[in-house]
Amino acid sequence: MSKIKPSKGAPYARILGVGGYRPTRVVPNEVILETIDSSDEWIRSRSGIATRHWASPEETVAAMSVEASGKAIADAGINPEQIGAVIVSTVSHFKQTPAVATEIADRIGAGKPAAFDISAGCAGFGYGLTLAKGMIVEGSAEYVLVIGVERLSDLTDLEDRATAFLFGDGAGAVVVGPSDEPHIGPTVWGSEGDKSETIKQTVPWNEFSVGDVSKLPLDRNGEIKFPAITQEGQAVFRWAVFEMAKVAQQALDAAGISADDLDVFIPHQANMRIIDSMVKTLKLPEHVTVARDVETTGNTSAASIPLAMERLLATGKAKSGDTALIIGFGAGLVFAATVVTLP
């Protein structure tokens, strides 16, 4: 018989506050067209993107996260010292160690919380949210700060016609805390590693730093290209449209609700055509508000869902207490979907 005492966590968890940060520089499609042979009309028709935000040297992964976190903590009505864990999802923090979560925790005055980074691409926010829920119910933390943050402008090949226009920078954060009622549903998540080559980094860091220069990609000026994100657009599009709609439906079923019960749909902001196709496949009713933040923010990977959530609430298009379906999907190929109550 075990001598270990049972955990004394909360019965359930919920999102208590949300915050976002978008870099000050707004980059229209015209800037992208300086390095690729395309048009504003083509970019908009393919992706729905008109502008995106790119970070300045001062707007680091940590700095953007601190700004978003401060807003989320204030929105939740708690003190930073009450945070028991900080989870950061990012693929664009270039220090292998220490985790940027530790720096963020210190800068926001959180004391000595658990702090770690995760790498789950565009599904990272959903992964972090699921981990936070588990911590609160298990009792290892009362409040958890979950951050999705990216500086994808650092990993964008501006000469790649297929991806140069896609990516943006920013940070979104939520505070997850205890609840007497279920406000975060079961997560439907997973991966399809056999498709991992469809979205990837062009050159591994070790090959870029010490590899055979003759094998590295060069730009139009003959200079070695910095590693960037590349993808097989059509394959990713088909996977997202057909397979992720199934995952989204599974998340609805797991939460015990139907599309008619939804108030809001917040998918990963990858592409407007993907979003619209998922809405059609899921047969979402007219009353459901759909996040289309991608038009002015671009694809910010792990940051896209909390940024879109924050904007919907700030503009009044969604309100506290609304029931929302969120789903993230991307490199890996990984995915995570769940139903939440908005803060």
Side-chain angles (χ1 to χ4, degrees), residues 206-288:
N206 62 320
E207 290 186 16
F208 175 74
S209 60
V210 297
D212 185 350
V213 175
S214 66
K215 296 180 180 179
L216 296 177
L218 305 177
D219 64 21
R220 62 181 66 182
N221 298 317
E223 299 292 332
I224 296 173
K225 286 186 177 182
F226 193 73
I229 297 173
T230 185
Q231 68 176 28
E232 299 174 16
Q234 287 301 316
V236 173
F237 181 87
R238 289 192 297 270
W239 175 76
V241 168
F242 296 110
E243 298 303 320
M244 291 305 97
K246 298 176 185 177
V247 171
Q249 183 60 55
Q250 290 170 12
L252 290 174
D253 295 341
I257 68 172
S258 69
D260 291 336
D261 298 314
L262 281 179
D263 301 302
V264 184
F265 179 43
I266 310 177
H268 165 50
Q269 301 295 294
N271 180 301
M272 194 75 79
R273 292 167 64 205
I274 292 175
I275 294 171
D276 290 341
S277 294
M278 291 182 72
V279 169
K280 183 177 180 180
T281 302
L282 289 168
K283 298 179 180 179
L284 296 185
E286 289 290 329
H287 74 263
V288 176

Side-chain angles (χ1 to χ4, degrees), residues 17-40:
V18 61
Y21 180 82
R22 292 172 171 82
T24 56
R25 183 187 177 193
V26 177
V27 179
N29 288 338
E30 285 73 19
V31 172
I32 308 299
L33 296 175
E34 294 174 5
T35 52
I36 61 171
D37 180 18
S38 188
S39 68
D40 177 65

Side-chain angles (χ1 to χ4, degrees), residues 118-171:
I118 59 175
S119 177
C122 305
F125 176 75
Y127 275 49
L129 185 65
T130 303
L131 293 174
K133 173 187 173 183
M135 290 179 179
I136 291 162
V137 173
E138 186 269 341
S140 60
E142 184 176 11
Y143 298 99
V144 180
L145 179 65
V146 180
I147 303 165
V149 57
E150 303 291 3
R151 272 182 57 117
L152 293 181
S153 57
D154 292 335
L155 289 169
T156 299
D157 181 354
L158 294 178
E159 295 179 356
D160 182 357
R161 189 172 183 270
T163 62
F165 56 89
L166 288 176
F167 303 118
D169 304 335

